[in-house]
Amino acid sequence: MSDQVVLLGTHVSMFAMRVKIALAEKGIQYEYKEENLMNKSPLLLQMNPIHKKIPVLIHNGKPVCESLIIVEYIDEVWKDKSPLLPSDPYKRAQARFWADYVDKKIYDGGKKIWTTKEEDQEAANKEFIEYLKVLEGELGDKPYFGGESFGFVDMALIPYYSWFPAYEKFGKFSIEAVCPKFVAWAKRCMQKESVSKSLYDPDKISDFVVMLRQRLGIA
Amino acid sequence: MATGSVKLLGVWASPFVNRVEIALKMKSVEPEFILETTLNKSELLLKSNPVYKKIPVLLHDEKPICESLVILQYIDDSWPNGPSILPSDPYDRAIARFWASYIDEKWYPLVVEFMKAKGKEEKAVVLEKISEGNLLLEEAFIKINKGKSFFGGDRIGYLDIVLGSLLGWVKAIEMMDEMKILDETKMPSLAEWDKRFCSDNVVKDIIPQPEKLAEIHRKFHQMKKATSN
């Protein structure tokens, strides 16, 4: 039986990158379709009518939405290779908790850095660093959040690394200077082919943010 | 089968705590309920959930699990011999998780916004958004239940627990504001499901009556006013 797998995404989206990593880890062949979010395709609107957002995974014609839900789905369907979540229930719960923490804090925290007014910049930078510090605390001395091997939380978080140069540019600060452990973890992840091939060029992301800021009337 | 002590930090009026109580009851697990007081957080809570400092927290063999949706899935994973909470098919599981996320991140925050809005006009604006959400939930229910009584099929499951646990407070808010949030004429299938859910053996002693929740809400606000003066 051959599976038909389509991924709707955008190059810059950290959420789409998570799914790309998962698909690469499992060695799944898929068709990628780049969406223009200013002009959403009929396919996207049909497959995700509730949120009209990417990423959407379309497996044999059926849509799965929300990046972490997609990653769990991929793990459950293609279960014979490269597990993405731990098998132990407690470790699974910890993985879900921390991936959810990333979802709750990192996107908005990062966005604040490049959208905020000058007088609020320092506070925005500080808040973001605080979240990274919490994550550093959880990482501890482990090579990955998953322990000895790259896992669910690593996958949820690493795409943001491709946005760090953009955050540093507009926040006018160095993340590595304050969170060296975090950056060391990120570089370790980048040595994996599934990760390095799935993350977008940080320079192109910076260019994208310049354009977004203009469109939002910030710059 | 999982062994070890099971403790639940919570308050009986929290719908998120109720979710965990229902899930444990489905698995025939009786936790030791450790009551948190709303105004002063215990050492145990602060130690067990340092990130959010919120209930519910499940302590299984003294190991903490936080966030109600994470806890529900943990309970399902740890007690696989009882009735399943999540569906078995991966696609159905993805759909259940999708709607749980919608309910917690979009729908219920609107209900809270409704409660906090001042005056009938402001409330009406929020109610319009909630009503759109209600229609989506009604359509989702009809698609997911495959003609059966619950989102989970013949028995209650993940989505029944996630949505059903919130309805006590929704009805309490309806009473306090004298405005209908759940319109039976627009969501007839869910209205019937609601009655079935609330009278289900596993649920009925856990979700508090709306009148009691409204009373707690009044008392809590009186207390807050008194302590801030």
Side-chain angles (χ1 to χ4, degrees):
Chain A
M1 186 199 77
S2 73
D3 281 303
Q4 204 216 23
V5 180
V6 178
L7 173 63
L8 306 182
T10 60
H11 293 311
V12 298
S13 160
M14 320 74 164
F15 306 101
M17 289 178 213
R18 289 168 170 178
V19 180
K20 287 178 184 168
I21 297 171
L23 291 166
E25 284 283 301
K26 297 282 191 181
I28 297 165
Q29 299 291 335
Y30 66 99
E31 184 192 344
Y32 175 75
K33 290 191 181 184
E34 175 76 6
E35 280 287 328
N36 175 0
L37 296 181
M38 299 302 292
N39 186 17
K40 295 178 184 183
S41 72
L43 182 63
L44 172 57
L45 298 175
Q46 185 202 355
M47 292 288 143
N48 192 356
I50 310 289
H51 301 302
K52 306 175 175 57
K53 284 179 165 183
I54 55 94
V56 180
L57 188 80
I58 310 172
H59 183 207
N60 294 332
K62 296 201 295 191
V64 184
C65 307
E66 299 294 294
S67 61
L68 294 182
I69 294 176
I70 297 172
V71 172
E72 286 219 49
Y73 174 78
I74 289 170
D75 203 32
E76 288 171 12
V77 172
W78 287 273
K79 56 184 188 284
D80 295 326
K81 164 175 189 187
S82 305
L84 305 174
L85 274 104
S87 49
D88 171 70
Y90 189 72
K91 291 191 175 142
R92 285 168 86 82
Q94 293 304 96
R96 287 177 176 136
F97 175 87
W98 285 104
D100 177 65
Y101 177 86
V102 174
D103 265 3
K104 281 180 161 75
K105 304 291 188 194
I106 305 299
Y107 181 79
D108 288 335
K111 190 170 178 181
K112 248 191 212 172
I113 294 174
W114 57 267
T115 54
T116 200
K117 294 194 284 265
E118 215 179 304
E119 58 259 33
D120 300 322
Q121 190 67 66
E122 210 182 306
N125 294 356
K126 190 161 171 253
E127 192 182 322
F128 186 73
I129 294 294
E130 268 163 29
Y131 299 145
L132 295 189
K133 289 275 173 208
V134 170
L135 288 165
E136 277 188 335
E138 172 55 24
L139 180 66
D141 294 320
K142 306 193 295 285
Y144 301 101
F145 285 91
E148 289 306 309
S149 42
F150 182 85
F152 192 61
V153 180
D154 304 279
M155 197 176 309
L157 187 52
I158 191 61
Y160 286 96
Y161 185 60
S162 62
W163 279 71
F164 274 19
Y167 296 153
E168 288 175 324
K169 176 177 174 175
F170 295 106
K172 299 189 181 62
F173 70 141
S174 161
I175 298 174
E176 186 163 13
V178 203
C179 298
K181 207 173 177 186
F182 190 95
V183 174
W185 160 83
K187 289 179 176 169
R188 192 175 301 127
C189 293
M190 290 298 286
Q191 287 173 6
K192 288 179 67 70
E193 201 183 337
S194 60
V195 174
S196 59
K197 284 208 158 146
S198 304
L199 264 56
Y200 197 46
D201 179 351
D203 290 332
K204 294 200 174 128
I205 292 174
S206 281
D207 291 342
F208 175 77
V209 176
V210 168
M211 183 211 54
L212 263 190
R213 278 162 58 98
Q214 282 169 355
R215 193 188 294 156
L216 293 169
I218 300 169
Chain B
M1 199 194 77
T3 51
S5 63
V6 180
K7 297 177 187 170
L8 173 59
L9 270 71
V11 298
W12 56 263
S14 159
F16 305 101
V17 173
N18 294 156
R19 288 175 176 175
V20 180
E21 292 177 87
I22 295 169
L24 288 170
K25 196 160 178 192
M26 274 178 79
K27 302 286 191 179
S28 304
V29 175
E30 256 188 73
E32 179 192 336
F33 197 101
I34 301 179
L35 193 66
E36 280 291 315
T37 58
T38 29
L39 292 177
N40 287 310
K41 300 186 184 202
S42 72
E43 277 301 310
L44 182 60
L45 174 59
L46 297 174
K47 192 181 78 163
S48 308
N49 192 357
V51 176
Y52 300 118
K53 307 175 176 55
K54 281 180 167 181
I55 46 109
V57 177
L58 185 74
L59 288 163
H60 189 196
D61 247 340
E62 311 303 328
K63 294 191 296 190
I65 302 108
C66 310
E67 294 297 291
S68 64
L69 298 185
V70 174
I71 299 173
L72 289 186
Q73 294 181 85
Y74 174 78
I75 290 170
D76 212 21
D77 287 340
S78 297
W79 286 274
N81 293 329
S84 290
I85 296 174
L86 272 124
S88 48
D89 173 72
Y91 192 75
D92 293 338
R93 288 159 80 87
I95 296 295
R97 286 176 176 136
F98 174 87
W99 285 105
S101 166
Y102 173 82
I103 288 161
D104 272 10
E105 285 166 32
K106 302 273 187 247
W107 187 79
Y108 195 62
L110 284 175
V111 173
V112 174
E113 198 186 318
F114 175 86
M115 182 185 70
K116 290 182 178 168
K118 306 247 186 296
K120 290 247 174 204
E121 266 170 37
E122 220 179 287
K123 284 191 190 279
V125 170
V126 186
L127 189 58
E128 183 66 43
K129 292 188 213 164
I130 299 175
S131 301
E132 283 168 17
N134 290 348
L135 288 178
L136 292 177
L137 291 172
E138 171 82 0
E139 275 169 29
F141 177 64
I142 293 166
K143 249 194 190 159
I144 292 169
N145 72 5
K146 297 171 188 159
K148 298 193 173 167
S149 305
F150 300 105
F151 285 96
D154 290 319
R155 257 204 295 239
I156 67 167
Y158 189 67
L159 263 186
D160 301 282
I161 299 173
V162 170
L163 183 58
S165 57
L166 301 171
L167 296 183
W169 272 104
V170 173
K171 291 167 193 165
I173 292 165
E174 284 180 327
M175 283 171 66
M176 292 189 285
D177 287 314
E178 291 170 346
M179 279 171 91
K180 261 267 168 223
I181 299 175
L182 305 167
D183 184 346
E184 301 90 35
T185 59
K186 299 207 175 119
M187 16 180 351
S189 303
L190 276 180
E192 290 300 305
W193 161 83
D194 178 9
K195 292 184 198 139
R196 286 194 293 269
F197 179 79
C198 291
S199 56
D200 186 274
N201 273 329
V202 174
V203 172
K204 65 179 194 282
D205 296 322
I206 293 175
I207 312 264
Q209 292 301 313
E211 295 83 4
K212 278 204 121 179
L213 292 174
E215 198 189 307
I216 289 184
H217 190 257
R218 269 190 291 271
K219 279 192 181 155
F220 179 72
H221 278 269
Q222 280 169 2
M223 241 190 335
K224 262 181 97 175
K225 258 190 175 167
T227 53
S228 64
N229 282 348

